[in-house]
């Protein structure tokens, strides 16, 4: 079961240091999207952590009471990284000259100059944040007036009928390569042919795209439930994700197939934070059995599969998505690239104030 709690909307304003170009948006990720930033368990109450996401540095700050915020990692005074400062329970103190900033990005104290006009100013960008399914999500605005829609968790993560584990990994590959990889189910029958879950089924197939009201399916027309046979791309309330199922063998215990919800969050243009929720539609004792088997045997096997993907993608050249020779199996890849290119063009125009 998942709970979703939304932090107060402290400040939705986003000011970029310069208008982002189409190329920058494609390299570091589309704005006006929710992205998972970190697994919740990595920032405990009273802790803070520096992360780079979408090409910029952020401070993930959890106050002593457990409420999380994501601030630009820049002190309002001279832009020193706040992450080098001290966590004071409900605010952070910059190490450089002691300026104190609260989770809304507002300066609460300038110790070297009491009464300074900076006090009370909301001068550090604070993103809208929501937490659910074991992850901290933040809304990355395209323009200062961009407001976040309510975060709607993917069905498998919001449903009481499913149980899940969040798997987090960082890959030295562009975030686009992650999506290309998942929109290409056919690699399952080759790259993962020796795995515990993708050894069955045909090594030839025909694919089709099937539109939905929230995205599209890319699926084999002649095989289902044997291998990695379909994937759905979903975009809902500003959250983009992929959803897919892979059959489980008898050693995975009772229950249906293995489900995956995947989201790549760009770190820099060549590094990606990959969030995979590994799910199964099981409740009660069956859920207990799966959770036990997952921890004792299945998790390691899933890691082996994921390592095959990582090894492949990290070894692609940075311009590997140029000059390819695509065939029918790559319709999903072509589709997702076109969608993101069009969205990046639209967003760059809007950011530059031309739309
Ligand atoms: S730069 Fe942070 S207090 Fe001066
Ligand atoms: Fe894979």
């Amino acid at each position: 079961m998942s709970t979703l709690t939304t932090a107060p909307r402290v400040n939705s304003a986003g000011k970029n240091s310069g208008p982002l170009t189409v190329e920058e948006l494609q390299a570091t990720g589309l704005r006006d999207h929710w992205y998972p930033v970190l697994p919740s368990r990595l920032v405990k109450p009273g802790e803070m952590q520096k992360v780079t996401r979408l090409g910029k540095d952020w401070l993930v700050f959890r106050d002593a009471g457990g409420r999380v915020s994501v601030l630009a990692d820049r002190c309002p005074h001279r832009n020193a990284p706040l992450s080098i400062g001290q966590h004071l329970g409900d605010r952070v103190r910059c190490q450089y000259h002691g300026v104190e900033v609260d989770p809304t990005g507002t300066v609460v104290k300038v110790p070297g100059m009491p009464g300074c006009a900076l006090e009370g100013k909301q001068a550090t960008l604070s993103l809208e944040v929501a937490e659910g399914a074991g992850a901290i999500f933040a809304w990355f605005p395209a323009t200062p007036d961009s407001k976040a829609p309510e975060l709607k968790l993917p069905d498998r993560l919001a449903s009481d009928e499913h149980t899940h584990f969040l798997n987090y990994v960082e890959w030295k590959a562009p975030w686009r390569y992650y999506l290309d990889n998942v929109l290409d189910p056919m690699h399952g029958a080759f790259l993962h042919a020796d795995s515990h879950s993708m050894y069955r089924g045909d090594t030839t197939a025909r694919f089709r795209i099937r539109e939905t009201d929230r995205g599209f399916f890319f699926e084999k027309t002649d095989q289902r439930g044997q291998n990695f046979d379909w994937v759905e791309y979903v975009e809902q309330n500003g959250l983009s994700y992929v959803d897919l199922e892979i059959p489980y063998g008898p050693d995975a215990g009772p229950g249906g197939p293995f489900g995956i919800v995947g989201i790549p969050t760009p770190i820099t243009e060549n590094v990606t934070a990959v969030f995979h929720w590994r799910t199964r539609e099981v409740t009660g004792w069956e859920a207990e059995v799966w959770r036990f088997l997952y921890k004792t045997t299945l998790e390691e096997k899933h890691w082996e599969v994921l390592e095959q993907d990582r090894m492949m993608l990290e070894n692609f050249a940075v311009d590997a998505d140029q000059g390819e020779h695509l065939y029918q199996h790559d319709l999903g890849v072509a589709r997702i690239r076109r969608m993101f290119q069009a969205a990046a063009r639209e967003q760059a125009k809007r950011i530059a104030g031309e739309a």
Side-chain angles (χ1 to χ4, degrees):
M1 202 183 104
S2 298
T3 53
L4 179 67
T5 48
T6 305
R9 300 192 163 188
V10 290
N11 169 34
S12 66
K15 195 156 178 11
N16 301 308
S17 46
L20 286 161
T21 63
V22 176
E23 293 70 31
E24 285 168 335
L25 288 164
Q26 284 194 283
T28 62
L30 291 173
R31 270 55 176 181
D32 279 358
H33 271 74
W34 284 106
Y35 287 95
V37 172
L38 270 181
S40 297
R41 65 182 165 80
L42 297 185
V43 192
K44 300 200 168 51
E47 291 182 358
M48 60 185 191
Q49 193 175 134
K50 178 187 183 135
V51 295
T52 303
R53 297 291 181 263
L54 280 68
K56 291 187 191 279
D57 293 337
W58 305 93
L59 178 72
V60 182
F61 179 93
R62 197 187 288 279
D63 71 18
R67 182 166 289 176
V68 74
S69 47
V70 178
L71 298 164
D73 191 19
R74 294 161 80 95
C75 172
H77 176 218
R78 294 254 325 275
N79 289 329
L82 288 170
S83 54
I84 294 178
Q86 288 104 48
H87 195 305
L88 298 181
D90 60 352
R91 59 200 192 282
V92 54
R93 181 180 194 268
C94 178
Q95 188 79 348
Y96 209 8
H97 314 94
V99 164
E100 294 177 17
V101 179
D102 76 10
T104 70
T106 303
V107 175
V108 288
K109 195 170 175 187
V110 180
M113 195 174 172
C116 173
L118 198 53
E119 286 179 356
K121 263 215 172 101
Q122 196 282 312
T124 290
L125 173 62
S126 174
L127 301 181
E128 291 190 55
V129 171
E131 202 163 8
I136 298 161
F137 290 80
W139 173 259
F140 289 79
T143 57
D145 58 354
S146 148
K147 284 263 177 254
E150 186 190 352
L151 175 69
K152 189 175 181 320
L153 287 175
D155 298 345
R156 285 181 204 274
L157 307 183
S159 146
D160 288 345
E161 309 297 307
H162 291 76
T163 178
H164 64 258
F165 293 93
L166 170 56
N167 169 269
Y168 175 77
V169 66
E170 295 179 9
W171 283 352
K172 293 186 192 70
W175 68 283
R176 304 185 312 280
Y177 287 12
Y178 171 88
L179 282 179
D180 287 352
N181 182 57
V182 182
L183 266 294
D184 167 21
M186 202 61 203
H187 83 264
F190 292 90
L191 179 64
H192 305 309
D194 64 349
S195 71
H196 68 121
S197 53
M198 283 173 270
Y199 58 88
R200 286 186 225 90
D202 222 327
T203 51
T204 63
R206 298 290 295 178
F207 280 87
R208 73 172 167 219
I209 287 175
R210 184 160 51 91
E211 309 292 340
T212 69
D213 56 3
R214 58 184 202 173
F216 65 94
F217 278 87
F218 187 56
E219 60 193 3
K220 291 178 186 167
T221 56
D222 38 16
Q223 180 174 292
R224 195 93 173 177
Q226 296 294 312
N227 200 296
F228 179 8
D229 295 329
W230 61 269
V231 56
E232 184 186 7
Y233 172 76
V234 182
E235 195 157 335
Q236 224 170 21
N237 284 26
L239 182 72
S240 293
Y241 63 92
V242 288
D243 183 286
L244 59 102
E245 280 178 3
I246 292 172
Y248 253 150
D251 60 347
F258 172 56
I260 295 178
V261 173
I263 305 180
T265 301
I267 294 179
T268 62
E269 60 186 300
N270 291 317
V271 186
T272 306
V274 178
F275 293 78
H276 276 135
W277 285 266
R278 294 164 168 179
T279 77
R280 199 170 195 193
E281 192 174 353
V282 275
T283 55
W285 69 270
E286 291 191 343
E288 294 308 314
V289 171
W290 181 58
R291 295 188 77 82
F292 174 76
L293 287 173
Y294 181 91
K295 280 292 163 200
T296 50
T297 58
L298 297 169
E299 183 175 18
E300 199 182 325
K301 292 178 181 177
H302 291 317
W303 266 112
E304 284 167 17
V305 173
L306 203 58
E307 278 297 287
Q308 292 170 333
D309 289 309
R310 185 188 64 77
M311 177 278 297
M312 183 58 74
L313 299 185
E314 288 192 349
N315 282 288
F316 267 47
V318 289
D319 63 350
D321 54 357
Q322 310 294 316
E324 307 142 292
H325 297 86
L326 305 182
Y327 52 92
Q328 206 262 348
H329 294 178
D330 305 310
L331 283 174
V333 169
R335 170 67 176 269
I336 199 87
R337 289 181 184 172
R338 271 203 312 278
M339 278 179 61
F340 278 91
Q341 273 161 11
R345 276 198 296 274
E346 178 278 323
Q347 219 166 72
K349 253 193 194 172
R350 204 150 47 80
I351 291 170
E354 293 166 19

